[in-house]
Amino acid sequence: MKINSLAKLGGVALVSVLILAGCGSKSSQSKKQEINWSTPAAISTMDTSKMIDLYSAQVANGTNEGLLRMAKDNKVDPGVAKSYNVSKDGLTWTFNLRHSKWNDGSAVTAKDFVFSWQRTVKPKTASQYAYIFANIKNAAKINAGKMSPSKLGVKAEGNYKFVVSLVKPQSYFKYMVTQPEFFPQNPKTVAKYGSGFGTNSTKNSYNGPFILKGWNGTNDTWKLVKNTKYWDAKKVKVDTVNFQAVKTPSTGLNSFNSNKLDYTTLSGTLAANNKKNKAYTVFPQASTSYLEFNQKKIKALRNVNIRKAMALSIDKKQMVNKVMQGGDIAPKGFVPASMAKHNGKDFASQAYVKDGTDYDLKEAKTLFAKGLKQEGKKSLSLSLLGSDDDDSKRASEFIQSQLEKLPGLKITVQSIPFKSKLTRSEDQQFDLVTSAWIADYPDPSNFLDLMTSSNSYNDGKWNNKQYDALIKKSESTDANNETARWNDMVAAEKILMNDQGIVPLYQQGQAALVRSSVKGVQAFTTSPQYDFSKAYVK
C-alpha cells in the first residue's frame, strides 16, 4: 500500500505486540480508556474501494472488519468469518460468517461482501486496487469492461455463507481478505451517499471495533470511538483513540513531551538525539522507499545507462545513516529483507543485484555521459516530485544533491501535499517521483506485481516483457509449485534491478517515542499497521 512518500509509520517484524502508552493521567482501567496517536498524514478517503494509502487504511482497520484479521506470527484470526475452509484443489474458499452488525444495528451479511467486491472491480468505480482481485474468477474481465460485475466469482449462500471461486490456487489469499479492499460495504449507505460515500466520517457504515468521528474530509484531527455494536465489543477496552496528523516531527516531539501524544515518530537529528530516551524504540517494516522514472513522458529516462547512472550516484548508506537517521536500512532490492522466506532463505538475499542498489559515483559519471551521448544531449533538466512533510523534504534534497554530482544533470525539487502527490503520480505528471510501498500481505508478489506493465501503481510505466512473463508464470503455471514460483519471482526481481526499472532508496524502519502505560496494541509490518482493538491503558 502506498505510504507518504518517504515518511513512515511504525511497526514490528511481521507481527508482534507493541508496548505503547496512553495518557499520563489514565492510570486505571476503571477510568476512561484513551490513547493519543500521531500519524504523518491525514485521511484521504474512507471508501475502501478507492483507498490507496496506509494512513487511511490504518483508520479503516480500526473502524471496519473483513472476513479475517491479521494476527501474530503471520497467522490470521477470525473476523466477520468465524471459520473457513478451502477445497482440495485450492480454488474454492468458503467463509462461514458470524451474526455481526453494522453500527446502525443492521446485520452484516454475505451479500454485503458480494456487493463490496463487485463494486471494487467495476470499471466505473475506478479502483486502483482492483488488480488485487484478479485471481477471483472473472475479475479481470469485469474490470476491463468485458463482463458484468454480477459474474464475479463470489456468491452468498444465504445470509451467512460467503463462497469465493479463484482462477488458480493462492495460498496467501487468507492474508488478502484481511485488507480494507476486501471489507464489506453496506449497500444502503453507498446508495444513500453516492459519490459522497466515504468522504467524511458520517457518510459511512462501520462494522469494526470503533466508529470514526470528527473527520470532515480535510481536517487533520479525528477520533475512533468504541463501537458498542461490534460483535466482540466486550473485549475492546479502549474507549477513544484520538488521532492527529503531525507532518513535523519536532511538533510531535513537543506534544509527546507535554503529554499530548502517547506515540510519535522521529527522524533525522531528532531520532539521533533521543536514542537514550527510555521511550525510544525502532520498528523495522516490510516497506521500501524508491525512486520512479517517468519513462512514458521523458525519452531520456528510457535509456538504461541514464537510469543506472542516477541509481549509482545515490549513496544509500549515507542516506539512512546521516540523512534519515530514523531506523531505516540500506536496501538489497525492491522486496524488503526478512519479509518472505522459502526453505530458510530470505527472498531479498536471493534476488540481490549489487549494481541495482550500490553506490559508485565514478561509474555513474561514465554511464551518464554515455547515456547523454546516446540520446544526443549535453545536459538534462528534471524535476523531482515529493511530499511536503519534513522527512520527504530532507530526502528529496539529499537525492537532488547526489544526482547533481552527475555533470550536466539539473534537478528541481517539488514538494507538495501527500494527497496531491498521489494524484500527480497516478496521472504521470512528474519526471522523477519518490514513492514508498508497504506490504499488504507477506509475499514477494505484493511488491513485484506493482512493476508489471499493466499495473496501475507502475507510475513510471517501466515495461519489460520477460519480467511480465515471469510474474504471469508464477501466478499460473507454477502457482501450485512453491519452489518454481519462488524462483520465478527471484528471476523477475533480478530483471527489475538489472534494468534499473526503479531505484530502491532504503528499506524503511521507524524511530518513535512510545509510553509504557498502554499495552496490547498489535503492530504489523504489513498494512494496515496497527490493531487498537486489543489495547488497554494501565
Side-chain angles (χ1 to χ4, degrees):
M1 180 161 285
K2 285 276 187 181
I3 56 178
N4 189 3
S5 189
L6 294 166
K8 300 146 293 190
L9 209 60
V12 264
L14 283 168
V15 180
S16 67
V17 175
L18 177 59
I19 306 302
L20 298 177
C23 300
S25 61
K26 312 301 178 185
S27 59
S28 169
Q29 289 187 41
S30 64
K31 296 181 179 181
K32 185 177 181 181
Q33 296 278 303
E34 191 167 342
I35 300 174
N36 295 316
W37 200 268
S38 73
T39 181
I43 300 170
S44 62
T45 181
M46 284 303 292
D47 181 345
T48 53
S49 289
K50 299 180 179 179
M51 193 173 287
I52 62 174
D53 67 288
L54 174 62
Y55 312 115
S56 300
Q58 179 185 357
V59 176
N61 192 52
T63 58
N64 290 80
E65 182 171 83
L67 297 163
L68 303 171
R69 296 181 72 90
M70 281 298 296
K72 295 180 184 180
D73 304 320
N74 272 10
K75 295 180 181 179
V76 292
D77 279 340
V80 176
K82 58 185 178 181
S83 65
Y84 71 95
N85 57 75
V86 186
S87 62
K88 288 184 179 180
D89 61 7
L91 298 178
T92 304
W93 291 60
T94 302
F95 297 90
N96 303 301
L97 310 190
R98 68 178 76 251
H99 288 233
S100 59
K101 296 179 180 180
W102 293 103
N103 62 299
D104 65 359
S106 61
V108 177
T109 71
K111 295 174 184 177
D112 296 337
F113 284 93
V114 172
F115 171 81
S116 175
W117 295 20
Q118 288 179 347
R119 179 173 177 263
T120 299
V121 299
K122 187 186 302 182
K124 186 178 180 181
T125 304
S127 170
Q128 285 198 64
Y129 253 86
Y131 80 92
I132 209 169
F133 288 77
N135 195 40
I136 297 174
K137 186 177 179 180
N138 297 328
K141 290 182 179 179
I142 293 168
N143 193 237
K146 298 179 180 179
M147 189 176 285
S148 168
S150 64
K151 300 294 184 181
L152 185 66
V154 294
K155 62 180 178 178
E157 294 187 356
N159 284 333
Y160 299 105
K161 182 171 287 187
F162 180 61
V163 183
V164 183
S165 298
L166 302 182
V167 175
K168 57 184 180 297
Q170 194 170 46
S171 60
Y172 56 89
F173 188 66
K174 62 184 178 182
Y175 300 126
M176 296 177 71
V177 299
T178 69
Q179 305 307 314
E181 309 81 58
F182 293 90
F183 286 176
Q185 293 173 5
N186 190 324
K188 292 182 179 179
T189 305
V190 176
K192 179 178 179 179
Y193 295 112
S195 61
F197 172 69
T199 57
N200 63 44
S201 57
T202 61
K203 296 179 179 179
N204 212 327
S205 290
Y206 306 104
N207 75 316
F210 302 93
I211 295 171
L212 177 63
K213 298 281 189 179
W215 179 60
N216 64 20
T218 60
N219 55 324
D220 289 337
T221 59
W222 59 90
K223 62 178 63 178
L224 304 186
V225 178
K226 182 176 177 178
N227 180 8
T228 58
K229 296 295 195 299
Y230 178 55
W231 68 269
D232 206 19
K234 289 182 180 179
K235 293 184 179 178
V236 179
K237 299 180 177 67
V238 171
D239 298 297
T240 306
V241 183
N242 298 307
F243 274 84
Q244 181 179 347
V246 180
K247 294 182 179 181
T248 307
S250 59
T251 301
L253 176 61
N254 291 335
S255 294
F256 183 87
N257 288 335
S258 60
N259 288 326
K260 293 178 181 179
L261 284 175
D262 304 313
Y263 168 89
T264 190
T265 59
L266 297 174
S267 60
T269 55
L270 290 181
N273 293 338
N274 279 276
K275 287 185 177 179
K276 293 184 179 180
N277 191 321
K278 291 182 179 180
Y280 181 83
T281 311
V282 173
F283 305 117
Q285 297 183 135
S287 174
T288 301
S289 289
Y290 57 103
L291 184 69
E292 290 188 89
F293 307 98
N294 192 335
Q295 298 185 46
K296 181 178 180 180
K297 175 184 174 184
I298 310 295
K299 181 177 180 295
L301 295 179
R302 298 172 207 159
N303 187 298
V304 66
N305 289 314
I306 289 178
R307 296 197 303 274
K308 282 184 170 293
M310 294 172 74
L312 287 168
S313 71
I314 301 172
D315 189 336
K316 289 81 174 176
K317 290 183 179 179
Q318 183 182 352
M319 188 172 191
V320 298
N321 294 326
K322 302 296 184 181
V323 181
M324 305 311 294
Q325 297 181 300
D328 311 299
I329 61 174
K332 288 186 176 181
F334 190 32
V335 175
S338 303
M339 186 193 79
K341 293 184 178 181
H342 178 65
N343 289 336
K345 295 182 179 179
D346 183 68
F347 184 89
S349 296
Q350 280 199 277
Y352 177 57
V353 174
K354 187 174 185 293
D355 289 345
T357 56
D358 205 4
Y359 170 68
D360 188 336
L361 186 57
K362 182 179 179 180
E363 178 66 9
K365 290 178 178 180
T366 299
L367 290 174
F368 192 68
K370 181 179 180 180
L372 285 180
K373 185 176 181 180
Q374 290 171 334
E375 297 300 314
K377 293 179 175 292
K378 294 185 178 180
S379 62
L380 187 61
S381 295
L382 300 169
S383 63
L384 171 62
L385 184 65
S387 298
D388 63 354
D389 60 274
D390 281 1
D391 273 8
S392 298
K393 286 180 180 179
R394 190 168 60 256
S396 293
E397 289 168 2
F398 175 75
I399 295 168
Q400 177 189 39
S401 69
Q402 295 281 284
L403 293 178
E404 287 190 336
K405 290 180 180 179
L406 297 174
L409 181 57
K410 173 67 176 176
I411 301 294
T412 302
V413 172
Q414 297 178 335
S415 298
I416 62 176
F418 176 57
K419 191 173 181 178
S420 300
K421 187 188 82 79
L422 285 179
T423 299
R424 287 188 55 178
S425 297
E426 294 159 14
D427 295 339
Q428 284 81 55
Q429 294 178 11
F430 66 91
D431 298 342
L432 307 172
V433 64
T434 51
S435 296
W437 189 264
I438 189 166
D440 296 286
Y441 48 88
D443 188 88
S445 63
N446 192 212
F447 282 82
L448 299 177
D449 286 354
L450 302 178
M451 300 313 299
T452 55
S453 57
S454 61
N455 194 287
S456 61
Y457 286 104
N458 182 357
D459 295 328
K461 302 306 176 187
W462 176 74
N463 189 333
N464 185 288
K465 292 182 179 179
Q466 188 179 359
Y467 180 93
D468 286 352
L470 282 166
I471 297 301
K472 184 177 181 179
K473 187 180 179 185
S474 73
E475 297 173 349
S476 54
T477 309
D478 294 337
N480 269 328
N481 186 324
E482 288 188 21
T483 298
R485 178 176 179 270
W486 181 269
N487 291 337
D488 292 337
M489 293 190 291
V490 168
E493 166 119 345
K494 287 183 176 181
I495 289 172
L496 175 64
M497 290 295 95
N498 279 313
D499 196 51
Q500 211 69 68
I502 57 169
V503 181
L505 298 170
Y506 57 83
Q507 180 175 338
Q508 294 191 348
Q510 181 59 69
L513 292 180
V514 297
R515 299 191 199 281
S516 59
S517 58
V518 167
K519 305 283 186 177
V521 179
Q522 285 192 341
F524 308 85
T525 57
T526 50
S527 167
Q529 291 258 223
Y530 295 111
D531 182 355
F532 297 98
S533 66
K534 298 176 179 64
Y536 63 93
V537 182
K538 289 176 62 180

